[in-house]
Amino acid sequence: MADKPLVSVVIPTYNGHETIGQCLETVTNQQTDFPYEVIVVDSSPEPVEPLIKPRFPQVRYVHSKQRLSSAEARNLGIELAKGDFIAFVDQDVLLPNDWLARVVKRLREGDIGGIGCAIANSNKWSIPAWIVHLTEFPRSLPGGHLCFVESFPTAACCYHKSVFQDARFPPTLGAGGDDPALNITLLRKGIKLLHDPTIVVKHPTRSRWKDVLLYPFKLGKADGFCACQSETRATLFARFPTLLFIYPFLRTVYSGWHCFRSGLKYGLLFTVLSPFIFVAYCAWAVGIYLGVREFQRRKEVGQERTEGGR
């Protein structure tokens, strides 16, 4: 990888000791005709550096003693990036060896600011994993349609660096919420975002039964928190919490629509698992409500501190 990379690949990690090695194996083995750099931003209490440096000496490693959210880690990666394009990859995602070449080619083809891809569930024999996957990624399934979108997951995506001149990932409560907040902000500035379902990465979706409720709840809480700061798909529900009663119904229909559009396999999976998916969206709705409450609490505490300091 040369000194002046065309692309900077940013990988935020926290306690990713079990997955970061496999992820980097796929990231560093990309077949490209251009130079690229890999930046790992780690805030684990026990750094992952000993797992990285011996096997991947070319990787730029940064460790923060302070716990960083995924949004904060990505923002730090943006500051460090040297490339004209910035790609983001989650610590447990596995890339095909032509992934980087294909996303950069798409970005070079037209007036596109960012591109997301399809996310395949690598825990394909786990029922809880499918419930979580179809709940979290209904619009990012393999077999969907090439189209412009208002947002895509940051599990594996790429942007022109120029879009970050005056934009960053907003603070979150942890899991998720930051990607739709950033993407919708970019969309409002006239920046086009493309979803390409023919570019597929593997993601080991959570496979424990408790994650069917716990993980959507965490996503919802982060969604609600972000929705109080910028426009997202959850903003309406953050402003009018009584509407949260219809949220699970709307999201279940939305998920089903995209599952059937992605092919018979996903349509059948949705049909069988839809009662569980509905319950998962109920947990998501509760999370949104509590995320809004948490934002309001922090805002009140901040105001009290400001008034107390006068």
Side-chain angles (χ1 to χ4, degrees):
M1 298 179 194
D3 293 332
K4 295 181 180 180
L6 178 68
V7 185
S8 299
V9 182
V10 177
I11 306 174
T13 182
Y14 180 76
N15 289 341
H17 302 78
E18 294 183 2
T19 61
I20 192 66
Q22 282 186 306
C23 174
L24 283 172
E25 191 73 42
T26 66
V27 173
T28 57
N29 285 329
Q30 292 295 297
Q31 296 178 357
T32 67
D33 58 2
F34 52 79
Y36 68 97
E37 65 174 348
V38 181
I39 304 170
V40 173
V41 181
D42 179 26
S43 62
S44 307
E46 182 181 341
V48 299
E49 184 176 20
L51 302 175
I52 295 176
K53 284 302 180 183
R55 292 178 60 190
F56 312 102
Q58 72 272 44
V59 170
R60 295 174 63 191
Y61 174 84
V62 181
H63 183 261
S64 170
K65 293 182 179 179
Q66 179 182 353
R67 168 73 168 101
L68 301 178
S69 68
S70 57
E72 292 169 328
R74 291 189 186 105
N75 288 339
L76 179 55
I78 292 170
E79 300 298 327
L80 298 172
K82 298 177 182 178
D84 295 331
F85 301 93
I86 302 179
F88 299 100
V89 178
D90 281 359
Q91 65 183 5
D92 54 359
V93 165
L94 304 179
L95 307 177
N97 58 17
D98 63 347
W99 179 82
L100 196 56
R102 292 183 67 185
V103 295
V104 170
K105 181 182 178 182
R106 279 290 191 192
L107 289 173
R108 284 172 154 178
E109 284 176 350
D111 183 23
I112 302 170
I115 181 170
C117 58
I119 301 174
N121 173 25
S122 61
N123 289 330
K124 58 184 179 179
W125 301 113
S126 168
I127 293 176
W130 276 116
I131 296 169
V132 174
H133 195 81
L134 298 182
T135 300
E136 184 180 8
F137 301 121
R139 197 169 188 173
S140 300
L141 299 172
H145 298 272
L146 180 70
C147 58
F148 290 104
V149 292
E150 79 278 1
S151 185
F152 44 67
T154 48
C157 63
C158 191
Y159 298 87
H160 275 282
K161 188 176 183 180
S162 60
V163 307
F164 295 110
Q165 288 180 352
D166 56 354
R168 290 293 186 274
F169 290 95
T172 69
L173 292 177
D178 54 318
D179 38 2
L182 169 72
N183 288 331
I184 292 175
T185 297
L186 297 179
L187 199 66
R188 289 177 178 273
K189 294 180 178 181
I191 297 171
K192 295 180 180 179
L193 304 175
L194 183 71
H195 167 64
D196 188 341
T198 68
I199 306 174
V200 184
V201 303
K202 293 182 179 180
H203 182 274
T205 306
R206 289 161 173 79
S207 57
R208 299 173 300 178
W209 275 104
K210 68 177 183 179
D211 288 322
V212 171
L213 290 178
L214 184 60
Y215 188 60
F217 170 78
K218 290 180 178 179
L219 291 174
K221 195 171 182 182
D223 241 357
F225 190 85
C226 281
C228 294
Q229 304 170 77
S230 57
E231 291 292 327
T232 74
R233 286 172 292 187
T235 299
L236 177 65
F237 299 96
R239 292 176 180 171
F240 305 100
T242 52
L243 293 178
L244 283 170
F245 287 105
I246 65 172
Y247 182 85
F249 296 96
L250 295 177
R251 284 301 302 268
T252 301
V253 171
Y254 174 89
S255 177
W257 167 252
H258 285 289
C259 286
F260 279 100
R261 287 190 63 181
S262 297
L264 181 61
K265 167 187 172 181
Y266 296 108
L268 290 175
L269 279 169
F270 174 82
T271 301
V272 173
L273 300 176
S274 56
F276 299 97
I277 293 172
F278 176 81
V279 172
Y281 281 131
C282 288
W284 198 311
V286 173
I288 291 175
Y289 176 76
L290 294 179
V292 172
R293 293 288 300 272
E294 178 64 18
F295 178 85
Q296 294 170 342
R297 185 191 68 80
R298 293 190 185 187
K299 186 176 181 180
E300 291 171 358
V301 170
Q303 290 174 342
E304 290 175 359
R305 289 177 178 174
T306 300
E307 294 172 358
R310 292 175 182 174

